[in-house]
Amino acid sequence: MGLLRYTTYRFIQAIPVLIGISILTFVLANLTPGDPVRLMLQGVEADQEMIEQVEARYGLDRPMHERYLDYMGGLVQGDMGHSFHRNRPVSELIASRIGPTLLLVLSAYAFALVTSIPLGIIAAKRRNEPFDHVSRIVALLGVSTPSFWIGIMLILIFAVQLGWLPSANLVYPWWSPEVYGHDGYVEHFVETIRHLLLPMIALGTLQMATLMRVERTQMIESLQGEYVKLARAYGVPERTIMRKHAFQVAQLPIITIVGLNLSTALGGAVLIEFVFNINGLGRLFYEAIIQLDYQLIMGITMIIATMFVIGVIITDIAYAYIDPRVTYGEAE
């Protein structure tokens, strides 16, 4: 089958996965101890009649399976429901918070790729030399250290002690410079980078360390391959061997990790948003869980699950552009 048919086929395969995630999330959220109505009415003298009225208003007095079917019926039509605690449509809440999270996650991935691939290549070329030993230590520390601890250390050093960078909030590049009182788009861009730098590094360090270790290993294997030895025997320049023969083959596992680690990055964004006081999707998700805001929990979960599924599908498609041996023929 062609690329379009293959992509369609993968999206169809993803539908049962998303349905399974929705069922599991809905059941777990509703079985969580606590009463969302009483949490909503905290500070209000509410009698049993008022509680029953609120439950009837939001359909919480109905059986779980009926509420799930109603929710999925609305979701198919583009209605993600209504937040109990915020009295706003879930889609509107998600739209207002997803921008900062995407900015944070994408910038962290960009930082990880830009740093890990060159460092992994250099470490492979200088195997068992001092640079290689240092890179392996850095990678081990990056994989072992929690992202929130890295964020706290970065704040203490670069914001508190040195005062070089801000420690909280983001400057959104899609907002007008006048909103922040910036003098033109150049200053607006600079401030966006300054506010983004610390959370980007904190979230991207784990991805960078993981990718650097894999890049080093794959490049070492590629450089020891028979086709590389043959190219050297024919006098092919080392730069050409690295670029055309070793590098391209070594990127296949990198693509896989980038696609599959999207869920890890989104999960890490929750903690980073708290550390740096960023009003993103992760922080909204945490608040929804604490408040037992079922429909908001469902909406955010389905958005994250859909993003992950799309990331995996894009990863599969990217294989064909990196490795010509991968095809989307009828055997697929």
Side-chain angles (χ1 to χ4, degrees), residues 9 22 26 29 46 59 92 106 113 134 148-149 157 167 175 190 192-193 197 214 229 232-233 263 278 294 307 313-314:
Y9 175 69
S22 69
F26 195 88
E92 183 180 312
L106 293 176
L113 289 170
V134 172
F148 69 87
W149 188 86
I157 296 172
S167 62
W175 284 12
V190 171
T192 298
I193 299 300
L197 203 55
V214 175
K229 294 177 182 178
R232 284 174 175 156
S263 58
I278 298 170
Y294 299 146
M307 290 168 59
I313 293 174
I314 292 174

Side-chain angles (χ1 to χ4, degrees), residues 27 47 61 111 125-126 182 196 210 214 266 284 297 314 318:
V27 171
D47 54 16
D61 57 343
F111 162 74
K125 289 181 65 177
R126 300 180 180 180
H182 295 159
L196 185 61
T210 303
V214 175
L266 290 170
L284 181 65
I297 293 173
I314 292 174

Side-chain angles (χ1 to χ4, degrees), residues 86-105:
R86 292 167 174 78
N87 196 27
R88 291 174 60 190
V90 170
S91 57
E92 183 180 312
L93 288 168
I94 292 176
S96 66
R97 295 289 194 96
I98 196 171
T101 299
L102 288 178
L103 176 63
L104 177 59
V105 171

Side-chain angles (χ1 to χ4, degrees), residues 19-276:
I19 292 175
I21 291 172
S22 69
I23 294 173
L24 185 62
T25 304
F26 195 88
V27 171
L28 290 177
N30 281 269
L31 293 180
T32 302
D35 187 345
V37 176
R38 294 187 184 277
L39 287 173
M40 191 190 315
L41 298 177
Q42 276 184 340
V44 178
E45 294 184 6
D47 54 16
Q48 187 62 31
E49 182 181 355
M50 179 182 292
I51 292 174
E52 291 176 356
Q53 288 177 353
V54 175
E55 288 179 343
R57 176 184 176 186
Y58 291 106
L60 297 175
D61 57 343
R62 301 168 60 195
M64 188 187 301
H65 69 277
E66 290 185 9
R67 288 188 283 123
Y68 173 75
L69 292 175
D70 281 350
Y71 175 81
M72 292 303 291
L75 187 62
V76 171
Q77 301 175 41
D79 181 10
M80 305 183 74
H82 210 81
S83 170
F84 303 154
H85 287 264
R86 292 167 174 78
N87 196 27
R88 291 174 60 190
V90 170
S91 57
E92 183 180 312
L93 288 168
I94 292 176
S96 66
R97 295 289 194 96
I98 196 171
T101 299
L102 288 178
L103 176 63
L104 177 59
V105 171
L106 293 176
S107 63
Y109 260 113
F111 162 74
L113 289 170
V114 168
T115 54
S116 64
I117 292 178
L119 291 175
I121 293 173
I122 296 172
K125 289 181 65 177
R126 300 180 180 180
R127 185 183 180 188
N128 295 327
E129 295 183 11
F131 183 90
D132 183 29
H133 297 315
V134 172
S135 70
R136 281 187 284 177
I137 294 173
V138 171
L140 180 61
L141 291 174
V143 172
S144 308
T145 309
S147 58
F148 69 87
W149 188 86
I150 295 175
I152 293 171
M153 291 300 103
L154 290 174
I155 290 173
L156 289 176
I157 296 172
F158 294 101
V160 177
Q161 294 295 328
L162 299 176
W164 291 352
L165 297 168
S167 62
N169 301 317
L170 290 180
V171 173
Y172 306 139
W174 53 86
W175 284 12
S176 171
E178 288 77 15
V179 174
Y180 298 98
H182 295 159
D183 207 7
Y185 283 96
V186 174
E187 182 184 356
H188 187 56
F189 176 76
V190 171
E191 288 301 313
T192 298
I193 299 300
R194 290 185 70 248
H195 282 77
L196 185 61
L197 203 55
L198 294 186
M200 174 188 73
I201 294 173
L203 182 59
T205 298
L206 172 61
Q207 313 300 329
M208 181 270 292
T210 303
L211 293 174
M212 183 168 66
R213 293 176 67 183
V214 175
E215 181 72 26
R216 173 188 176 275
T217 302
Q218 292 301 314
M219 284 298 297
I220 289 175
E221 290 182 4
S222 295
L223 290 172
Q224 293 176 343
E226 294 298 327
Y227 54 91
V228 171
K229 294 177 182 178
L230 182 62
R232 284 174 175 156
Y234 276 100
V236 178
E238 192 68 21
R239 182 178 299 234
T240 303
I241 292 175
M242 290 290 297
R243 180 172 53 86
K244 293 190 65 176
H245 300 283
F247 176 77
Q248 188 170 349
V249 176
Q251 301 320 299
L252 290 175
I254 298 295
I255 294 174
T256 303
I257 293 173
V258 168
L260 297 181
N261 276 15
L262 180 60
S263 58
T264 305
L266 290 170
V270 177
L271 297 174
I272 295 301
E273 286 175 6
F274 269 94
V275 171
F276 290 93

Side-chain angles (χ1 to χ4, degrees), residues 1 6 320 323-329 332:
M1 64 186 75
Y6 174 81
D323 190 351
R325 296 171 297 177
V326 177
T327 61
Y328 300 115
E332 292 286 328

